[in-house]
Amino acid sequence: MIKKLPTGARKFAVIAVISALCAVWTGLDSIRYYFSHKSCTERVTAHAEHVEMSLDKSGYTYTVDYTYEFGGSDHSFEAVFITKETRDINYYYSDKDILIDPDAPDKHFIRDSRKNHDPRFLVVAVMLTIVCTGLMLKKIQDEKDLHEVK
């Protein structure tokens, strides 16, 4: 199908298809994540044990090791937070209220963690799909108009 498109429209078609696939994947993954953590209803306090900070192109990444107690046993997990600006590392040493599944205490949900999907990516992918589809259709129409004039 893409080979039948005018040359100028092909690149927009490819970008539109890729961004549409990203939008669908992100949306489905977000829905899956939501439903798989819907059973996290018990609120507990997680204590920060260790924090590391690194800097890369996406910003400052803080990796925090948390522990919490539930049902007489200790549980631990790692959370990742990404910010555009640097923060005092002591900010991440504070305790966090998290939600856990009382039937499976190792399953947890923590707000602001990178593991919670950011809807901005989904919005950008959908917008890119719409824009590229529009540009592709415009190129196709321009090509048709060019052939009608001849």
Side-chain angles (χ1 to χ4, degrees):
M1 178 186 131
I2 290 180
K3 289 182 181 180
K4 294 180 182 178
L5 293 174
T7 306
R10 286 183 195 157
K11 63 183 172 188
F12 294 118
V14 170
I15 294 170
V17 167
I18 291 170
S19 58
L21 289 173
C22 288
V24 167
W25 178 81
T26 302
L28 290 175
D29 196 42
S30 296
I31 291 167
R32 180 207 54 82
Y33 185 83
Y34 171 77
F35 282 108
S36 69
H37 287 82
K38 196 172 184 177
S39 60
C40 294
T41 57
E42 185 77 27
R43 188 174 303 278
V44 297
T45 300
H47 307 286
E49 300 289 326
H50 178 73
V51 180
E52 287 185 17
M53 191 264 301
S54 62
L55 176 63
D56 60 20
K57 63 182 178 185
S58 59
Y60 294 90
T61 302
Y62 295 88
T63 306
V64 186
D65 295 326
Y66 285 102
T67 61
Y68 60 95
E69 187 273 327
F70 184 78
S73 40
D74 291 330
H75 304 274
S76 61
F77 67 94
E78 181 180 271
V80 177
F81 302 92
I82 299 174
T83 65
K84 294 292 180 193
E85 64 279 340
T86 185
R87 285 193 171 157
D88 182 3
I89 203 160
N90 290 322
Y91 172 82
Y92 292 99
Y93 273 110
S94 61
D95 294 346
K96 282 250 186 227
D97 283 338
I98 65 169
L99 297 173
I100 63 167
D101 183 344
D103 298 326
D106 284 330
K107 185 189 272 189
H108 63 276
F109 178 83
I110 181 170
R111 296 194 190 288
D112 304 326
S113 174
R114 182 171 60 145
K115 294 178 184 175
N116 303 342
H117 293 284
D118 188 350
R120 289 179 288 189
F121 181 75
L122 179 60
V123 170
V124 168
V126 169
M127 295 289 285
L128 189 59
T129 302
I130 292 169
V131 167
C132 287
T133 302
L135 291 170
M136 176 191 70
L137 294 173
K138 182 178 179 338
K139 289 283 187 183
I140 292 170
Q141 188 61 45
D142 290 348
E143 188 76 19
K144 285 181 182 177
D145 291 346
L146 183 66
H147 287 301
E148 287 177 4
V149 170
K150 288 183 180 181

